[in-house]
């Protein structure tokens, strides 16, 4: 790694900037951090695969179903599955839908631009006409309220796009766990390298979406739309879920006169990198669903780490959230490295200056995050 030739940064988080310039990560390297990150990403990878499967199923097979009672069954409706569902012994797919809706609300990227464009509307009109060909009531409703079914289709498009994104991320995290088990992954730097290489390899993977009736298919996001994994799903996902998020209900007032929520969405700091882990487990807190899902798939070595705490299993969801935040700072490091204007190891002073400005802009967003907390 090249030695930086420009003056030291005066940024409040300058130590992290210099660390990134020298090939480091946002999360400090230690055997415990490696174990936590790999272990939680293994659990997360299993849960993501389930989320992705259901999102893609609902987008394709539950398209414009107004009362999708069995959408969480993935096409396999049995009494045993229904009983587990009613007993809440199941994956909480509601969290996946929350992420899709949050991405729609915050927007950003090519997918957001496409679903507001003329091409998308034309494809939607053909699919809607075919879907309700023999339903004059819905046809009339569509003429009176032309945006209603279009908005439902936008949500389906985001479900499909997010499902495709999560499928790739799930495979990436599970292969990381396999490499760790084989002794190939021993440092946080190697974790970041694995994720960065995976993001780069999948960057141009096309994002497409179509629905079918009978033998006829109707494209909603055709290949010609040019949407890809990195630019149109990964980056908007990081922005919407890692950074902005939505306020946890019950923890702040949604009353506009209380001024507890920023008026400008770009100022939101409720994402995974900022969230206080303590509310996790409370009713109405969306990440609680994710943390609960991950409790079922924790590797034994991570469960043992959690049992060593003073509270044993009593604060497991909180500990999972803390480990999850550590892992997300590793994912963010990989994204920062991959999107840098020049290789962070460059020895050219002009390229170093461009990288320095780029890194300072990133780290400014981390000032109020839990970056320093997870590194204590």
């Amino acid at each position: 790694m090249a030695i930086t030739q420009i003056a030291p940064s005066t940024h409040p988080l300058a130590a992290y900037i210099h660390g990134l310039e020298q090939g480091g990560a946002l999360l400090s390297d230690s055997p415990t951090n490696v174990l936590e990150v790999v272990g939680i990403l293994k659990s997360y990878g299993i849960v993501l695969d389930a989320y992705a499967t259901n999102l893609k199923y609902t987008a394709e097979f539950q398209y414009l179903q107004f009362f999708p009672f069995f959408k969480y069954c993935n096409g396999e409706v049995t009494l045993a599955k229904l009983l587990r569902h009613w007993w809440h012994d199941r994956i909480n797919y509601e969290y996946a839908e929350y992420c899709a809706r949050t991405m729609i609300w915050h927007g950003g990227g090519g997918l957001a631009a496409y679903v507001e464009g003329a091409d998308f509307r034309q494809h939607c009109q053909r699919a809607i006409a075919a879907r309700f060909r023999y339903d004059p009531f819905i046809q009339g409703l569509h003429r009176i309220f032309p945006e209603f079914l279009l908005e439902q289709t936008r949500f389906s498009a985001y479900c499909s796009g997010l499902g495709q994104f999560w499928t790739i991320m799930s495979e990436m995290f599970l292969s990381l766990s396999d490499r760790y088990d084989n002794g190939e992954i021993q440092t946080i730097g190697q974790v970041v390298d694995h994720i960065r290489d995976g993001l780069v390899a999948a960057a141009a993977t096309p994002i497409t979406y179509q629905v079918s009736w009978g033998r006829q298919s109707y494209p909603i996001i055709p290949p010609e739309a040019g949407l890809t994994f990195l630019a149109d799903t990964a980056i908007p996902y990081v922005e919407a879920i890692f950074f902005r998020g939505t306020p946890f209900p019950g923890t702040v007032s949604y009353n506009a006169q209380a001024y507890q929520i920023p008026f400008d969405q770009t100022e939101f700091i409720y994402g995974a990198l900022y969230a206080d882990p303590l509310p996790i487990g409370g009713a109405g807190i969306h990440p609680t669903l994710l943390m609960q899902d991950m409790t079922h798939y924790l590797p034994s070595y991570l469960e043992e780490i959690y049992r060593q705490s003073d509270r044993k299993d009593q604060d497991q969801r909180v500990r999972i959230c803390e480990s999850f935040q550590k892992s997300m700072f590793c994912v963010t490091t990989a994204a920062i490295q991959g999107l840098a204007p020049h290789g962070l190891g460059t020895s050219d002073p002009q390229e170093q200056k461009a990288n320095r400005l780029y890194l300072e802009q990133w780290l400014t967003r981390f000032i109020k995050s839990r970056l320093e907390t997870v590194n204590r």
Side-chain angles (χ1 to χ4, degrees):
M1 181 63 64
I3 298 176
T4 303
Q5 300 176 12
I6 58 177
S9 174
T10 58
H11 193 277
L13 297 177
Y16 294 97
I17 293 174
H18 298 152
L20 289 168
E21 290 174 336
Q22 300 302 319
L26 292 172
L27 181 67
S28 60
D29 187 21
S30 72
T32 300
N33 278 346
V34 174
L35 184 149
E36 282 192 59
V37 168
V38 173
I40 206 66
L41 287 181
K42 178 178 182 179
S43 175
Y44 187 47
I46 296 172
V47 173
L48 279 192
D49 180 61
Y51 287 168
T53 298
N54 184 253
L55 284 176
K56 292 184 290 187
Y57 168 78
T58 55
E60 185 174 354
F61 296 103
Q62 299 290 307
Y63 175 62
L64 295 183
Q65 292 283 350
F66 299 125
F67 302 102
F69 295 113
F70 304 112
K71 66 178 179 179
Y72 296 144
C73 293
N74 293 334
E76 181 188 354
V77 182
T78 64
L79 179 59
K81 179 174 284 190
L82 290 174
L83 290 174
R84 289 197 302 271
H85 181 95
W86 293 330
W87 193 252
H88 297 285
D89 181 19
R90 63 179 179 90
I91 293 290
N92 291 293
Y93 297 115
E94 294 90 341
Y95 179 76
E97 295 178 347
Y98 157 77
C99 289
R101 295 187 190 281
T102 303
M103 288 181 68
I104 290 177
W105 192 53
H106 285 299
L111 180 56
Y114 175 75
V115 298
E116 296 295 337
D119 289 345
F120 176 78
R121 297 179 75 93
Q122 291 177 3
H123 288 300
C124 287
Q125 296 295 0
R126 285 193 286 268
I128 291 169
R131 172 72 176 83
F132 299 108
R133 182 178 306 165
Y134 304 111
D135 193 330
F137 175 74
I138 299 298
Q139 291 176 14
L141 196 66
H142 181 51
R143 293 190 186 96
I144 300 172
F145 305 104
E147 293 298 320
F148 175 71
L149 296 181
L150 288 177
E151 190 61 26
Q152 301 304 310
T153 306
R154 288 188 184 97
F155 177 64
S156 294
Y158 263 89
C159 286
S160 179
L162 180 58
Q164 294 171 68
F165 163 70
W166 270 345
T167 295
I168 293 173
M169 297 305 297
S170 170
E171 295 170 354
M172 190 184 306
F173 295 151
L174 293 178
S175 64
L176 172 69
S177 175
D178 292 339
R179 293 185 63 196
Y180 175 80
D181 292 341
N182 294 333
E184 299 176 46
I185 300 294
Q186 300 177 351
T187 68
I188 290 296
Q190 291 172 331
V191 171
V192 172
D193 289 345
H194 174 90
I195 297 172
R196 185 195 62 241
D197 293 345
L199 292 174
V200 172
T205 302
I207 300 297
T208 62
Y209 169 44
Q210 65 178 21
V211 293
S212 302
W213 287 281
R215 299 179 180 179
Q216 184 67 38
S217 296
Y218 299 90
I220 304 295
I221 305 177
E224 297 77 38
L227 301 185
T228 57
F229 163 82
L230 185 63
D232 303 310
T233 57
I235 295 176
Y237 178 83
V238 169
E239 182 67 36
I241 306 302
F242 283 19
F243 286 98
R244 298 187 187 179
T246 58
F248 291 169
T251 64
V252 294
S253 173
Y254 275 66
N255 187 323
Q257 283 70 42
Y259 300 107
Q260 293 187 10
I261 299 174
F263 176 78
D264 188 348
Q265 284 178 238
T266 62
E267 297 179 3
F268 273 31
I269 49 171
Y270 302 106
L273 303 182
Y274 300 88
D276 183 351
L278 290 182
I280 297 301
I285 307 298
H286 290 109
T288 299
L289 300 175
L290 171 61
M291 304 309 150
Q292 174 62 27
D293 289 338
M294 287 196 284
T295 62
H296 301 298
Y297 305 103
L298 296 175
S300 58
Y301 56 79
L302 188 55
E303 287 186 311
E304 183 59 31
I305 287 289
Y306 293 160
R307 290 195 194 99
Q308 293 174 10
S309 69
D310 294 337
R311 296 184 177 181
K312 307 298 182 184
D313 293 332
Q314 294 178 358
D315 64 344
Q316 188 180 65
R317 292 187 190 89
V318 174
R319 298 294 303 278
I320 289 174
C321 183
E322 292 172 338
S323 298
F324 180 70
Q325 286 181 322
K326 290 182 179 182
S327 72
M328 292 303 101
F329 277 112
C330 291
V331 175
T332 304
T333 301
I336 290 174
Q337 292 179 350
L339 296 172
H342 308 284
L344 295 182
T346 180
S347 58
D348 183 291
Q350 295 303 316
E351 293 182 351
Q352 289 180 349
K353 288 181 180 179
N355 284 343
R356 171 66 62 78
L357 177 61
Y358 165 80
L359 292 175
E360 288 180 343
Q361 291 172 340
W362 269 101
L363 268 296
T364 295
R365 303 191 70 181
F366 292 136
I367 290 176
K368 294 183 179 180
S369 76
R370 289 181 52 82
L371 176 60
E372 295 193 278
T373 302
V374 300
N375 279 300
R376 288 172 189 164

